[in-house]
Amino acid sequence: MLPEDVRILALMLPETVAGAHSGNPDFRVGGRVLATLWVEEARVVLRLAPEDQAALCEAEPDLFTPLDGAWGRRGWTNLDLDLCAEDTLRDALLAAWRRTAPPELRALYQDA
């Protein structure tokens, strides 16, 4: 997958907007970052629930790795774009959106 693919798929999620975080493009819902794109490193950092992080890192350790330290323990997870299939990226972005979106917005799209 390419960085532009991340941008396209992330902005398809309800009420998600593009922004910037520490000089990198990011994607937000409800004013909170759900993903940060590291273009030159061909990776995206996702805000996942710790249980989603654990499941993805176990299922696909070549793609998903927790960030080091406290951020990683909170669910922030690297996804390597070079080896990633579209459905994997789409599912990971949706999981990050569900983790980040305000409860009332999530309730509107609980079947998404």
Side-chain angles (χ1 to χ4, degrees), residues 60-83:
E60 299 195 61
D62 292 339
L63 293 180
F64 294 95
T65 56
L67 290 186
D68 291 332
W71 288 105
R73 289 190 297 275
R74 291 184 191 130
W76 288 95
T77 307
N78 288 303
L79 171 55
D80 182 346
L81 295 174
D82 287 335
L83 304 173

Side-chain angles (χ1 to χ4, degrees), residues 6 9-10 13 34-35 46 88-98:
V6 175
L9 293 173
L13 295 166
L34 67 100
L46 302 157
T88 301
L89 175 59
R90 185 184 306 268
D91 291 348
L93 285 167
L94 181 55
W97 182 89
R98 286 184 174 136

Side-chain angles (χ1 to χ4, degrees), residues 17-51:
V17 297
H21 178 76
S22 300
N24 295 298
D26 72 16
F27 305 95
R28 300 167 185 250
V29 60
R32 298 173 70 195
V33 175
L34 67 100
T36 301
L37 180 59
W38 293 76
V39 176
E40 292 182 16
E41 297 176 24
R43 70 181 170 105
V44 61
V45 177
L46 302 157
R47 181 177 194 248
L48 300 174
E51 58 274 11

